[in-house]
Amino acid sequence: IYLVAADKGGISALRLAKHIGVSWPTARNMLKKIRTAMEHRDSIYRLENLIELDDALVGGKRPGKRGRGAQGKKRIVVAVERRGKKAGFMAAQAVEVINKKTVREFLKYRLKPGQTVRTDAFPSLNCAGETHNHDKKVTPPEEASNWLPLVHIMIGNLKKFLNGTFHGVSHKYLQEYVSEFCYRFNRRFWEPELPLRLLNACLTHTPVK
């Protein structure tokens, strides 16, 4: 737990296995349990006030066209609180498809009702107006940094996190790594306390198989 919490970039199963002298499957299973505790702890909270919402594609080794149609990639929904020019807390979820059903589920469990949600007016995100104050605007790529600056920074940082520490991840395990990134980001102001906070989260979680 300390090794996971102490390194800002996280730790891979291979590196953890070498550090503590266990097999890769054992280290991988330990990390899975720790990340499950991270995800559960963040699931308790809900985003509020002005929230930027967008979707993105991550991963993929096959070449393909850029944008929403790129092949071999996994979709994620990302939301981040906007506090002036700075980011508050964030939430992210890996999904099979971006449609109104998956977006509704994300909004239900990640945001407090009745918040202000800002999007780029992508059709699947328009369901935000059903339960929130939806502030939408069709946004060309060159204007994205002005209309949705923080969520795009978060998406870029998440991709760097996945590629830098883990050199990419499979679709099967993507949510684990997304949850770890969110957990770390949401506690960035309490880094010295992170090992003890993570230990507490693991101790209070139900057993993970």
Side-chain angles (χ1 to χ4, degrees), residues 87-115:
F89 296 109
M90 70 167 295
Q93 183 74 40
V95 296
E96 291 300 321
V97 294
I98 296 290
N99 56 30
K100 291 185 177 181
K101 180 181 178 180
T102 56
V103 173
R104 285 190 188 106
E105 285 292 303
F106 178 83
L107 296 172
K108 178 181 178 180
Y109 292 108
R110 302 296 186 177
L111 277 65
K112 289 184 177 180
Q115 307 307 303

Side-chain angles (χ1 to χ4, degrees), residues 57-64 69-75 169 171:
L57 289 156
V58 298
K61 296 181 179 179
R62 295 185 305 233
Q71 297 182 8
K73 294 182 180 290
K74 184 79 170 181
R75 294 164 175 81
V169 297
H171 292 183

Side-chain angles (χ1 to χ4, degrees), residues 19-135:
H19 267 295
I20 62 177
V22 299
S23 66
W24 182 89
T26 297
R28 173 73 187 86
N29 192 42
M30 294 170 75
L31 289 173
K32 174 186 176 182
K33 294 180 179 183
I34 293 171
R35 290 173 184 137
T36 299
M38 287 176 166
E39 181 176 5
H40 178 261
R41 183 52 60 95
D42 263 5
S43 71
I44 298 172
Y45 308 104
R46 300 289 186 273
L47 305 185
E48 58 185 353
N49 300 320
L50 175 57
I51 299 158
E52 295 182 14
L53 176 69
D54 204 359
D55 68 292
L57 289 156
V58 298
K61 296 181 179 179
R62 295 185 305 233
K65 61 182 179 180
R66 294 172 60 86
R68 298 184 188 273
Q71 297 182 8
K73 294 182 180 290
K74 184 79 170 181
R75 294 164 175 81
I76 57 172
V77 185
V78 183
V80 58
E81 294 173 343
R82 187 169 178 174
R83 299 179 181 177
K85 294 183 179 180
K86 297 183 178 180
F89 296 109
M90 70 167 295
Q93 183 74 40
V95 296
E96 291 300 321
V97 294
I98 296 290
N99 56 30
K100 291 185 177 181
K101 180 181 178 180
T102 56
V103 173
R104 285 190 188 106
E105 285 292 303
F106 178 83
L107 296 172
K108 178 181 178 180
Y109 292 108
R110 302 296 186 177
L111 277 65
K112 289 184 177 180
Q115 307 307 303
T116 298
V117 179
R118 179 172 291 182
T119 76
D120 60 3
F122 182 61
S124 294
L125 303 180
N126 287 337
C127 62
E130 299 171 359
T131 51
H132 301 275
N133 175 27
H134 189 195
D135 189 12

